[in-house]
Amino acid sequence: MQLRSDAIKRGLARAPHRSLLAADGLTDEELDRPLVAVVSAQNEVIPGHIHLQQIADAVKAGVRMAGGTPLQVNTIGVCDGIAMNHAGMRYSLTSREVIADSVECAVQGHQFDAMVLIPSCDKIVPGMLIAAARLDIPTILVSGGPMLAGRGRHGEQTDLNSLFDAVGQVTAGTMTEEECSWLEKTACPTCGSCSGMFTANSICCLAEALGIALPGNGTVPAVYSERIRLAKRAGMKVMELVEKNLTARQILTPAAIHNGMVLDMAFGGSTNTMLHLTAIAQAAGCPVTMDDWDRASAETPNIVRIAPAGPLHIQDLNDVGGVSAIIGELGRTGHLDLDAVTCHGTMAEWVAACPEPDGEVVRAVGDAYSPDGGLKVVRGNLAPDCGVVKKSAVAPEMWRHSGPARVFDSEEQACEAIFGGAIHPGDVVVIRYEGPAGGPGMREMLTPTSAICGMGLASSVALITDGRFSGASKGPCIGHVSPEAAAGGPIALVREGDTISIDIQAGTLTLDVDDDELARRRAAWQPPAPKYTTGVLSRYARLVTSADKGAYLS
């Protein structure tokens, strides 16, 4: 069989190359086999990544069992929770592109025959999937798995978001600092990606629907032995893909992207998944638009509500069959493209083997929480291209809201006002100049959204931003407003006290200011000076596309 890696190991001219590979300790027998890149994002900062060396070792064992030669390379990662609410968050979304580039460089530079991707968290998973689409070689992704939920003093499940909410509750006087300290020590009890249907777990689950990860990837907890066995199976499976010459783009097809969007709507994942899957689809050569997302939302029932949309966590979904339980129900009711190819067979074959929904964690389509999806696209004169909201995590009484704009040109200004008691029931908080280019880096707004919730304002205050939200965010929060303020979008023209009207069910976001007045404001508007003139953020700000396009680099 002709292999890509022959370019570095066959023929007289490759004698220097073979000498260097021998210096790695590789035998002639190992060089005769396919070379598999085991791409790990292990580090000692991110809880979802601290254990990934164990996953990588299991993958390598699987590759060897199936007749391949695994070679490990590593890439970076940024923990969104630790980066939240300071300058570090500007580097989170930016890191997605750096990760994609680094994987491409390492794999192309050494002409690997296949790769197994080992991420866990937020930007690392989509960054690796973007690289997979670019490289188009046999590829499987296996994540490190989700964290177990914590336990509160009264037996309730807790998670990282419990801490962000607690800060607001302590500020409001509804929680003591001692109670907050208890949560601080117990809410994140194990390694793994944070335990709700936050961004990391959302995209790890979507990798299953995309067909590039084995069933269980998104839900088997990090601390379960089954996670090690899954990693070994991934290593063996990638060797099957090499034999079949089944490459990433043969899996990441329009049918797969459709199935990913449908699953996203069914479980109401993080709004970040709309950003990431749009960028992955672009890299795979099958781009999607906000109209496609809108259509998927309208046609897909919301049948799962995991934290922050409900009290349950990823381990509870795993206990009833994981993503397979959702896939089975969606497939049997005609919502999926059953012709899609996965790394383990066709979608039709997978659906046939899936369990029935349990009725509590995963509902039947006929008993859905909502006939439409958990995520919603909104548009209007304030967001001509798009805004997005996690509808399933918004109380129905806030699906419609109208109130005065409270305008802030940074997250820090908004947080100061919220914690200082300057935001009142009925207000619409507007945080702008936090978009992909204007931020730069499109920071997540978990601190202000959690502060609003923790201070008891989630049923009376809305938040709108050209930034984005953590998957842990809940309440009437509309992000990804496009065009962004730095590009002169209408959000840049909002003034303190303007009335903003939101109708989530209708999908509208309206600034109640007449066109003539907006034209006058637009004529007077001046673009802000770049916040960074050197380094990665400067390059990112110059090259990044808008949020509705997926915020990829042009």
Side-chain angles (χ1 to χ4, degrees):
M1 176 172 59
Q2 184 73 26
L3 296 171
R4 272 170 44 101
S5 61
D6 288 347
I8 64 168
K9 64 187 186 184
R10 299 292 182 200
L12 177 62
R14 298 300 181 258
H17 307 63
R18 289 192 297 273
S19 181
L20 290 168
L21 291 166
D24 290 333
L26 295 179
T27 65
D28 291 344
E29 291 82 2
E30 287 173 305
L31 287 179
D32 279 339
R33 300 170 183 168
L35 301 185
V36 178
V38 177
V39 186
S40 171
Q42 192 274 337
N43 63 61
E44 295 182 347
V45 179
I46 307 175
H49 288 219
I50 195 167
H51 64 302
L52 291 190
Q53 188 57 52
Q54 188 178 22
I55 303 298
D57 289 341
V59 167
K60 287 185 280 188
V63 170
R64 291 190 185 100
M65 283 190 284
T69 297
L71 295 169
Q72 185 173 335
V73 297
N74 286 66
T75 188
I76 65 163
V78 173
C79 178
D80 280 21
I82 297 173
M84 198 71 66
N85 193 227
H86 57 81
M89 180 49 72
R90 302 190 196 282
Y91 292 86
S92 174
L93 186 58
T94 303
S95 74
R96 187 188 75 183
E97 312 309 310
V98 175
I99 290 161
D101 290 348
S102 68
V103 174
E104 180 183 356
C105 288
V107 173
Q108 289 288 62
H110 302 104
Q111 291 294 288
F112 283 102
D113 299 301
M115 61 181 177
V116 179
L117 304 171
I118 310 175
S120 275
C121 294
D122 297 65
K123 309 309 155 306
I124 301 94
V125 182
M128 287 189 175
L129 289 176
I130 289 169
R134 291 181 191 171
L135 290 164
D136 195 26
I137 62 175
T139 301
I140 284 184
L141 181 144
V142 57
S143 73
M147 182 184 292
L148 294 178
R151 289 285 177 183
R153 285 179 165 171
H154 304 292
E156 73 279 11
Q157 292 186 353
T158 60
D159 55 50
L160 178 66
N161 196 39
S162 304
L163 268 302
F164 281 94
D165 287 353
V167 173
Q169 291 170 319
V170 172
T171 303
T174 58
M175 177 183 284
T176 67
E177 290 193 25
E178 190 273 335
E179 290 171 320
C180 182
S181 179
W182 167 269
L183 284 175
E184 186 178 329
K185 300 297 191 294
T186 60
C188 298
T190 72
C191 62
S193 46
C194 295
S195 55
M197 193 59 82
F198 310 146
T199 303
N201 291 327
S202 295
I203 197 74
C204 286
C205 288
L206 290 190
E208 292 188 43
L210 293 174
I212 203 161
L214 292 171
N217 177 73
T219 63
V220 174
V223 294
Y224 283 14
S225 299
E226 173 59 17
R227 177 58 57 175
I228 302 300
R229 294 193 292 272
L230 181 68
K232 290 178 180 177
R233 289 196 294 271
M236 291 185 280
K237 182 62 69 174
V238 81
M239 293 306 298
E240 288 184 27
L241 301 188
V242 172
E243 288 293 325
K244 297 175 181 177
N245 195 29
L246 183 60
T247 64
R249 283 206 186 193
Q250 292 171 289
I251 292 173
L252 297 175
T253 63
I257 300 298
H258 166 79
N259 290 340
M261 295 167 75
V262 168
L263 178 66
D264 206 1
M265 293 301 168
F267 63 42
S270 165
T271 51
N272 281 319
T273 56
M274 299 174 75
L275 195 72
H276 297 320
L277 191 50
T278 300
I280 293 164
Q282 172 69 28
C286 41
V288 296
T289 68
M290 286 297 111
D291 287 337
D292 296 316
W293 280 106
D294 206 17
R295 193 176 306 110
S297 179
E299 296 174 352
T300 308
N302 178 216
I303 59 175
V304 176
R305 289 197 174 173
I306 301 292
L312 301 176
H313 288 76
I314 297 294
Q315 67 203 58
D316 300 302
L317 177 57
N318 188 68
D319 289 345
V320 300
V323 170
S324 291
I326 311 173
I327 289 290
E329 180 64 6
L330 295 173
R332 288 187 290 267
T333 52
H335 291 87
L336 297 175
D337 189 326
L338 300 183
D339 293 328
V341 174
T342 77
C343 64
H344 53 92
T346 66
M347 181 62 71
E349 292 168 336
W350 184 15
V351 168
C354 287
E356 296 286 335
D358 70 300
E360 182 179 353
V361 181
V362 180
R363 291 189 175 188
V365 164
D367 185 37
Y369 288 102
S370 170
D372 54 359
L375 304 176
K376 183 75 174 178
V377 176
V378 298
R379 288 189 175 95
N381 69 339
L382 188 50
D385 293 336
C386 88
V388 299
V389 62
K390 188 167 185 171
K391 178 188 169 188
S392 60
V394 181
E397 61 266 28
M398 284 298 289
W399 287 356
R400 296 184 68 183
H401 180 76
S402 183
R406 306 298 309 281
V407 182
F408 305 96
D409 287 346
S410 71
E411 179 189 8
E412 288 83 358
Q413 290 178 9
C415 287
E416 182 179 356
I418 296 166
F419 286 122
I423 302 302
H424 307 293
D427 287 347
V428 179
V429 176
V430 176
I431 306 177
R432 62 191 182 188
Y433 295 104
E434 291 285 7
M442 203 179 180
R443 288 194 289 180
E444 289 183 346
M445 302 292 153
L446 182 55
T447 297
T449 60
S450 293
I452 287 170
C453 290
M455 296 180 75
L457 297 170
S459 60
S460 61
V461 170
L463 191 152
I464 297 168
T465 181
D466 54 4
R468 58 196 176 92
F469 297 116
S470 162
S473 296
K474 56 185 179 292
C477 307
I478 298 174
H480 303 200
V481 168
S482 303
E484 62 175 291
I491 192 171
L493 309 180
V494 181
R495 293 182 179 174
E496 185 82 5
D498 286 347
T499 299
I500 294 175
S501 298
I502 301 165
D503 190 330
I504 293 174
Q505 191 67 19
T508 59
L509 179 60
T510 306
L511 175 62
D512 295 328
V513 175
D514 66 59
D515 291 344
D516 290 343
E517 173 59 19
L518 286 178
R520 284 191 289 272
R521 295 182 187 182
R522 184 170 288 107
W525 177 81
Q526 294 291 325
K531 294 175 183 173
Y532 295 84
T533 56
T534 62
V536 65
L537 292 180
S538 173
R539 292 195 299 273
Y540 185 86
R542 293 196 306 271
L543 298 174
V544 70
T545 57
S546 62
D548 63 300
K549 302 295 191 298
Y552 64 89
L553 297 189
S554 59

